[in-house]
Amino acid sequence: MLGFLNASKRFRALRDRTPLGLLQLKHDRLRLLTAIAGITFADVLIFMQLGFADALFTSNTQYPRAIQADLVLISPQAKNFSNLRTFPKRRLYQALDVPGVATADAVNIGSKVWRNPQTREKSSLMMVGQNPDRAAFNLPEINQQIERTRLPDSFLFDQAARGDYEEMIAEVQQTGTAQTEIGVRTVTVTGLFTVGASFGDDGALITTNQNFFRHFPNRDAGTINLGMINVEPGHDILSVQADLIKHLPGDIQVLTQEGYVDFELNEIQSNSPIGFVFSLGSAMGFIVGIVIVYQVLSTDVNSHLSEYATFKAMGYRNSYLLGIVFEEAIILSICGFIPSLAVGIGIYSLTSAATSLPMAMTVGRAIVVFVLTVVMCGASGAIATQKLQSADPADIFS
Amino acid sequence: MTQQPVIQSQNLNHYFGSGKLRKQVLFDINIKISAGEIVIMTGPSGSGKTTLLTLMGGLRSAQSGSLVVLGKELSGISNTGLVKARRSNGYIFQAHNLHGSLTALENVQMGLEVHGLFDKKARHQKAAEMLEQVGLGDRIHYLPSGLSGGQKQRVAIARALVSRPKIVLADEPTAALDKKSGRDVVNIMHDLAKDQGCTILLVTHDNRILDIADRIVYMEDGRLSKPPAASAAAKVDKVATP
Ligand SMILES: Nc1ncnc2c1ncn2[C@@H]1O[C@H](COP(=O)(O)OP(=O)(O)OP(=O)(O)O)[C@@H](O)[C@H]1O
Ligand SMILES: [Mg+2]
């Protein structure tokens, strides 16, 4: 009770306090604008880096995330979804011997250059082959049209692919099919779906394993890229995983579905230089922000030294002056963050329209950047307050 | 009527610097100032007047000897004690030192906010009344940049007096003002102090304002001494010994 009274008294004192930081900032508009522009710039930089990094992570793990299997088999040399290496198809049959394994299916992934039928330009597409009897991905759009991939050289095409495909898309929508070429083979697009480009590929084609191997004649048909295992109901996935690891030779990795997604994310974050570049970019934005805010706050402290010394002579504590600087820091972080959020949303939608990369402002990211901004301004404020020590009333007026 | 002095010093010494550079600027200062007295301190430049004033005001800590202000010993006091001691007196500087981002009213109410006794509304009302009393009732929402030197110094006086301090310490408050505004400022200080019954210690080089003093003390080379004949002659009958 007493504590509560105390707190409400404190709150009243806080509300009643002259908002010196705010008044000081408002007094020097140019300085205020400089600071806000600087923070906005830093925040936009951070938003862009985080946005691109996230787009990289999401776009490169869209298919791994969508895999609907209890366990995933890949080669120990696997790098990522578009570079999984191969392992013998025989491992799938061996896996079926393990108690609890219900199904084992192959998925094959390869990169194919095709000619855009509209622009005649070459672009690189990812081709995925699956067992049409057991859909590999939890993507209803694809699974509803899976029957249309059974015919030779028939493909489902990602209409969110990077590049101009309007004519072909319109043709498929109107007539149900469109013809184009991959290498020397004529192929038929028999359906459309929407996933989006990744950094590595402009889009994707989905078909059966059979069709897949028609386009990769040099690949050993006895090898596959990825195995999908489903566990019989009533069996524990983790113990089946353990049994598989025991039963299968060492040329195979057995991962749970989540484990496989983590494997993909980890590979992008740690093994690709792009992940590092984006972290570095965000850190740069953060540092730029600190430098700018520090400049503004320390200039502000410097130009008010004699006023602060007067306050000290009147009996104000040092903490009161610290309060002024931190008040300014908080105001700046809010005023700088809001425009950066607007700019960030704009840049995201421009970028996703221009590059087909999935970029959107999430509440989580907005919060993260806002917290970073507060930390950034708070840190600069903390450095700037060191100058307050020189606001000594005895020395300034003698 | 034996009254407890509001300021009393005994053998107060003060040194600046340390080691070889240590230099004594105040020597055995003994002074008693009673409640309600207006004391003017004069003396040549560098004689230690400001130093003594800052000691009394708690702006720096007394080193040796005794300095009792309002019943509190300031010699060897802690830092927090020093900050608290500052709140019981109004300090007026040679430069007005108003906060440029605050209006006259806001500047004056800062003299009340430090005590944390009144809410914002009460503070602003008292500050407005105070500004009225120093003749700036029509300028309360002006920023310092919109006021003349004399007006700014009057705001500074209002700020020092608004919390009705027991002691006002003023260090050459008229130095930056012309003759007329200097006189006005001193008169305002005098009248307000007599109203509120507070004690004033005023350092000045300005001979024209000596007449408001109840007592004049003279500082030379860090020691309080008799005023030299010239300035004493004019004011000798004014120099009262309580
Ligand atoms: N912070 C300091 N550090 C070292 N010496 C100082 C300091 N402040 C003042 N002094 C010295 O102490 C002596 C007294 O200074 P003080 O400012 O008290 O004189 P004053 O009587 O107020 O002079 P004035 O009339 O010019 O204002 C001077 O010799 C001065 O140089
Ligand atoms: Mg002086």
Side-chain angles (χ1 to χ4, degrees):
Chain A
M1 190 64 207
L2 242 164
F4 171 74
L5 277 178
N6 221 342
S8 81
K9 217 173 108 187
R10 275 198 188 180
F11 178 73
R12 231 190 59 202
L14 202 69
R15 200 194 53 198
D16 253 19
R17 157 181 182 280
T18 304
L20 259 170
L22 177 66
L23 293 169
Q24 269 175 218
L25 286 176
K26 267 166 62 182
H27 191 69
D28 195 336
R29 296 290 161 100
L30 191 66
R31 193 178 288 164
L32 178 61
L33 280 181
T34 316
I36 291 179
I39 297 166
T40 304
F41 174 77
D43 279 0
V44 167
L45 213 63
I46 296 175
F47 268 130
M48 283 179 60
Q49 303 296 328
L50 292 182
F52 276 116
D54 195 60
L56 171 78
F57 296 157
T58 322
S59 65
N60 283 282
T61 55
Q62 288 187 102
Y63 292 101
R65 273 176 215 278
I67 281 184
Q68 42 188 3
D70 295 324
L71 296 169
V72 172
L73 307 184
I74 49 171
S75 151
Q77 277 99 44
K79 291 256 184 267
N80 56 48
F81 191 66
S82 43
N83 189 6
L84 282 173
R85 306 297 165 91
T86 58
F87 62 87
K89 193 178 180 182
R90 213 147 41 83
R91 303 285 170 260
L92 288 184
Y93 306 130
Q94 291 169 325
L96 281 170
D97 296 339
V98 173
V101 172
T103 62
D105 295 288
V107 176
N108 289 291
I109 303 109
S111 240
K112 207 76 203 170
V113 175
W114 89 343
R115 216 171 260 288
N116 182 332
Q118 186 174 330
T119 60
R120 309 302 301 164
E121 273 169 20
K122 280 185 178 174
S123 72
S124 155
L125 292 185
M126 179 172 73
M127 189 184 290
V128 180
Q130 62 174 335
N131 177 358
D133 294 325
R134 221 160 1 246
F137 303 109
N138 183 17
L139 297 168
E141 243 186 326
I142 294 175
N143 300 345
Q144 280 157 20
Q145 309 180 67
I146 214 163
E147 292 304 319
R148 297 193 198 160
T149 59
R150 284 185 192 269
L151 289 174
D153 287 317
S154 300
F155 293 88
L156 302 179
F157 173 69
D158 182 358
Q159 58 182 342
R162 203 165 14 227
D164 301 320
Y165 290 103
E166 294 87 356
E167 287 171 16
M168 194 184 79
I169 291 168
E171 194 184 337
V172 176
Q173 278 165 347
Q174 279 155 23
T175 67
T177 57
Q179 305 265 322
T180 182
E181 293 139 37
I182 299 178
V184 291
R185 296 183 79 97
T186 303
V187 298
T188 315
V189 173
T190 54
L192 300 170
F193 65 94
T194 313
V195 169
S198 71
F199 275 73
D201 292 295
D202 294 329
L205 292 166
I206 307 277
T207 186
T208 61
N209 278 325
Q210 247 182 330
N211 276 330
F212 179 88
F213 279 104
R214 277 183 232 260
H215 287 273
F216 291 90
N218 294 335
R219 250 191 63 179
D220 177 358
T223 64
I224 63 170
N225 292 118
L226 184 143
M228 291 189 354
I229 305 277
N230 277 313
V231 172
E232 277 171 1
H235 281 264
D236 179 37
I237 293 174
L238 293 182
S239 62
V240 174
Q241 179 189 20
D243 289 347
L244 278 170
I245 293 171
K246 231 181 291 165
H247 185 75
L248 296 175
D251 63 353
I252 205 90
Q253 275 191 86
V254 185
L255 303 171
T256 61
Q257 208 269 334
E258 301 87 64
Y260 173 59
V261 172
D262 287 345
F263 162 82
E264 289 279 345
L265 279 178
N266 183 48
E267 131 73 28
I268 302 170
Q269 274 160 0
S270 52
N271 294 344
S272 83
I274 308 174
F276 170 74
V277 166
F278 285 124
S279 321
L280 193 70
S282 307
M284 292 278 285
F286 187 75
I287 290 167
V288 166
I290 288 192
V291 171
I292 295 174
V293 181
Y294 168 72
Q295 275 299 328
V296 168
L297 287 182
S298 71
T299 321
D300 189 71
V301 167
N302 264 344
S303 62
H304 287 100
L305 272 187
S306 68
E307 279 122 324
Y308 290 159
T310 311
F311 286 149
K312 275 197 188 171
M314 289 162 69
Y316 283 96
R317 290 177 218 281
N318 214 33
S319 58
Y320 186 87
L321 304 182
L322 292 180
I324 299 177
V325 179
F326 283 112
E327 180 188 343
E328 291 185 316
I330 296 286
I331 293 172
L332 288 179
S333 55
I334 294 171
C335 294
F337 172 74
I338 290 171
S340 80
L341 186 63
V343 175
I345 290 173
I347 289 182
Y348 282 178
S349 59
L350 281 180
T351 314
S352 69
T355 62
S356 300
L357 288 173
M359 272 185 133
M361 184 65 74
T362 60
V363 177
R365 190 176 314 141
I367 292 174
V368 164
V369 174
F370 179 64
V371 170
L372 277 179
T373 317
V374 172
V375 172
M376 180 168 90
C377 294
S380 326
I383 316 173
T385 53
Q386 299 194 327
K387 301 214 167 183
L388 284 176
Q389 299 307 329
S390 41
D392 184 348
D395 287 334
I396 275 199
F397 305 117
S398 54
Chain B
M1 185 174 92
T2 51
Q3 233 182 338
Q4 187 71 11
V6 286
I7 301 175
Q8 177 164 26
S9 77
Q10 263 165 358
N11 301 329
L12 184 64
N13 293 293
H14 196 80
Y15 309 83
F16 280 120
S18 56
K20 275 209 171 117
L21 295 173
R22 191 165 136 115
K23 177 184 153 202
Q24 187 164 8
V25 294
L26 293 180
F27 299 83
D28 289 326
I29 303 286
N30 292 297
I31 189 171
K32 264 189 213 172
I33 301 177
S34 322
E37 241 191 318
I38 297 185
V39 177
I40 282 183
M41 178 156 57
T42 63
S45 188
S47 56
K49 307 181 295 296
T50 298
T51 306
L52 181 56
L53 216 61
T54 55
L55 287 177
M56 288 172 169
L59 301 197
R60 59 172 102 246
S61 48
Q63 296 163 340
S64 89
S66 156
L67 174 63
V68 179
V69 177
L70 295 170
K72 196 164 249 132
E73 174 62 68
L74 294 190
S75 188
I77 197 172
S78 71
N79 227 347
T80 29
L82 213 56
V83 172
K84 281 217 176 91
R86 290 172 189 170
R87 296 183 188 167
S88 53
N89 52 58
Y91 209 105
I92 301 169
F93 305 94
Q94 176 177 339
H96 56 80
N97 291 320
L98 298 179
H99 196 299
S101 314
L102 301 182
T103 62
L105 186 76
E106 288 164 338
N107 264 297
V108 172
Q109 70 85 39
M110 290 304 292
L112 285 169
E113 188 169 333
V114 69
H115 297 282
L117 294 176
F118 304 102
D119 64 18
K120 195 166 193 157
K121 212 174 130 208
R123 292 200 309 261
H124 279 227
Q125 188 177 345
K126 281 170 191 287
E129 283 164 14
M130 197 68 217
L131 281 165
E132 191 78 48
Q133 286 187 54
V134 299
L136 290 173
D138 54 338
R139 303 271 151 114
I140 61 173
H141 296 306
Y142 279 52
L143 287 173
S145 53
L147 299 172
S148 72
Q151 288 168 336
K152 279 188 263 202
Q153 197 56 292
R154 269 141 69 189
V155 176
I157 290 170
R159 179 176 63 184
L161 294 179
V162 69
S163 61
R164 304 189 155 263
K166 295 270 181 349
I167 303 170
V168 171
L169 302 169
D171 196 355
E172 306 189 36
T174 61
L177 304 180
D178 62 49
K179 191 173 145 196
K180 163 126 189 3
S181 21
R183 186 74 229 178
D184 288 350
V185 160
V186 170
N187 284 345
I188 289 168
M189 278 178 65
H190 174 264
D191 296 347
L192 286 173
K194 286 296 170 194
D195 258 14
Q196 300 185 359
C198 77
T199 310
I200 296 187
L201 178 58
L202 192 158
V203 171
T204 187
H205 289 292
D206 188 351
N207 284 331
R208 296 169 309 214
I209 61 172
L210 298 181
D211 59 289
I212 65 154
D214 297 322
R215 178 155 62 113
I216 294 169
V217 296
Y218 185 77
M219 165 97 70
E220 188 157 15
D221 295 336
R223 294 171 215 270
L224 289 177
S225 63
K226 292 230 172 337
S231 83
K235 295 289 144 204
V236 75
D237 47 348
K238 263 271 174 195
V239 179
T241 27

